Structures are given as structure tokens and as C-alpha cells.
Amino acid sequence: MKKQFAFFSGLLALLLALPASAQFAKPEDAIKYRKASFTVMSAHFGRVGAMASGRAPYDAKAAAENADIAAAMSKLPWAAFTEGSDKGDTRAKPEIWKDSAKYKEAADKMQAELTKLSAAAKVGNVDALKTAFGPAAATCKNCHDNFRKE
Ligand code: ASC
């Protein structure tokens, strides 16, 4: 029993450590996956933005929930920029693969700002939300400007 447990926890650890690229059978699967995660992230980030800008009434609970989802989504797309997925139904620029260190830096910055946004949203006042929203939005724009085709 103990041995079995050790075996299965070892197996689980191994599976979790496998390169994320193993999740995608085909390049188009990776493209679909990363687009989906950006779409969900954008929807929830946009709801926070509407409150931060006063386009929607401030609702502390909704802000915290939406910012949390955006922050969780921000962890997902990166593993889906797999080899060969630069071609196809994508606006991803070749620079993502050519200058991957710069792309990773931008991606890390975006995740860090969304983590801050989600912490700020939990403070429960709209000023904290406003303060964190701008820098987070700037990290979205940075990648669009540098790494996404028109
Ligand atoms: C959004 C969204 C983005 C960013 C970006 C910020 O709500 O979908 O991609 O904000 O427009 O500049």
C-alpha cells in the first residue's frame, strides 16, 4: 500500500514536470489553447477595467473574482508557444521564438502585474484597483505592440 502510494505520487510528480508541450498533439491545438486563455483573461481583465475606469459600477466582490481569474489565466498561454505553432491561424510574431528571452520577460512582467492587481482588488476600495490597473494594462499593450501582428 505504502509502496503503491510512493509509486503513484512519483508518477504524478513526473507527469506534472513533463514539458507542457506534451499537452498539444498538433501546433493548431497549441494555438487554440493559447488564444482561448488570452480570450478568457481579456474578458475578466476587461470587467475589472470597466470598474477601474468608472464605466461600470464598482463592486468589490466582482472585482476580486474577476481579477483572480485574470491572474490565473495569465499563467497559461506561455507553454502553448510550442515549436511549429508560429504558423497557422495566429497573429503571434516570429520574435516570440527568435527573441524568447525578451518575450519571457514581458510575459513574466504581465503575470506579476496581474498578481498585484488581484491583491489590490482584495483591498476592497476602487482607488487601490485604479492604481494597480494601469500598470497591468500597460503590460498587455507592451506585448501587443512588440509580439502581435496587426
Ligand atoms: C484589455 C484587453 C487587453 C488589454 C489592453 C491594454 O481589457 O483585452 O488586451 O486590456 O487593451 O492595453
PDB file of all heavy atoms in Angstrom, residues 24 35 96 103 123:
ATOM      1  N   PHE A  24       0.018  19.184 -26.219  1.00  0.00           N
ATOM      2  CA  PHE A  24      -0.529  19.551 -27.508  1.00  0.00           C
ATOM      3  C   PHE A  24      -0.077  18.571 -28.572  1.00  0.00           C
ATOM      4  O   PHE A  24       1.112  18.452 -28.863  1.00  0.00           O
ATOM      5  CB  PHE A  24      -0.102  20.970 -27.873  1.00  0.00           C
ATOM      6  CG  PHE A  24      -0.412  21.951 -26.775  1.00  0.00           C
ATOM      7  CD1 PHE A  24       0.597  22.532 -26.033  1.00  0.00           C
ATOM      8  CD2 PHE A  24      -1.724  22.268 -26.467  1.00  0.00           C
ATOM      9  CE1 PHE A  24       0.311  23.418 -25.012  1.00  0.00           C
ATOM     10  CE2 PHE A  24      -2.025  23.152 -25.437  1.00  0.00           C
ATOM     11  CZ  PHE A  24      -1.003  23.723 -24.708  1.00  0.00           C
ATOM     12  N   LYS A  35      -4.911  31.023 -27.491  1.00  0.00           N
ATOM     13  CA  LYS A  35      -5.911  32.052 -27.803  1.00  0.00           C
ATOM     14  C   LYS A  35      -7.057  32.001 -26.807  1.00  0.00           C
ATOM     15  O   LYS A  35      -7.558  33.041 -26.376  1.00  0.00           O
ATOM     16  CB  LYS A  35      -6.467  31.830 -29.212  1.00  0.00           C
ATOM     17  CG  LYS A  35      -5.554  32.275 -30.319  1.00  0.00           C
ATOM     18  CD  LYS A  35      -6.282  32.024 -31.626  1.00  0.00           C
ATOM     19  CE  LYS A  35      -5.676  32.760 -32.771  1.00  0.00           C
ATOM     20  NZ  LYS A  35      -6.462  32.486 -34.003  1.00  0.00           N
ATOM     21  N   ILE A  96       8.630  36.134 -31.015  1.00  0.00           N
ATOM     22  CA  ILE A  96       8.349  35.345 -29.801  1.00  0.00           C
ATOM     23  C   ILE A  96       9.326  34.174 -29.702  1.00  0.00           C
ATOM     24  O   ILE A  96       9.818  33.855 -28.622  1.00  0.00           O
ATOM     25  CB  ILE A  96       6.882  34.849 -29.812  1.00  0.00           C
ATOM     26  CG1 ILE A  96       5.942  36.041 -29.634  1.00  0.00           C
ATOM     27  CG2 ILE A  96       6.648  33.776 -28.744  1.00  0.00           C
ATOM     28  CD1 ILE A  96       4.468  35.726 -29.820  1.00  0.00           C
ATOM     29  N   TYR A 103      10.604  37.884 -24.761  1.00  0.00           N
ATOM     30  CA  TYR A 103       9.183  37.534 -24.643  1.00  0.00           C
ATOM     31  C   TYR A 103       8.864  37.010 -23.245  1.00  0.00           C
ATOM     32  O   TYR A 103       7.867  37.387 -22.643  1.00  0.00           O
ATOM     33  CB  TYR A 103       8.788  36.499 -25.705  1.00  0.00           C
ATOM     34  CG  TYR A 103       7.294  36.262 -25.747  1.00  0.00           C
ATOM     35  CD1 TYR A 103       6.428  37.322 -26.009  1.00  0.00           C
ATOM     36  CD2 TYR A 103       6.756  35.009 -25.514  1.00  0.00           C
ATOM     37  CE1 TYR A 103       5.053  37.130 -26.035  1.00  0.00           C
ATOM     38  CE2 TYR A 103       5.375  34.815 -25.544  1.00  0.00           C
ATOM     39  CZ  TYR A 103       4.534  35.879 -25.809  1.00  0.00           C
ATOM     40  OH  TYR A 103       3.171  35.690 -25.827  1.00  0.00           O
ATOM     41  N   VAL A 123      -8.272  44.424  -1.612  1.00  0.00           N
ATOM     42  CA  VAL A 123      -8.257  45.513  -0.625  1.00  0.00           C
ATOM     43  C   VAL A 123      -9.680  46.040  -0.408  1.00  0.00           C
ATOM     44  O   VAL A 123     -10.056  46.417   0.701  1.00  0.00           O
ATOM     45  CB  VAL A 123      -7.306  46.653  -1.077  1.00  0.00           C
ATOM     46  CG1 VAL A 123      -7.432  47.870  -0.176  1.00  0.00           C
ATOM     47  CG2 VAL A 123      -5.870  46.162  -1.119  1.00  0.00           C
TER      48      VAL A 123
END
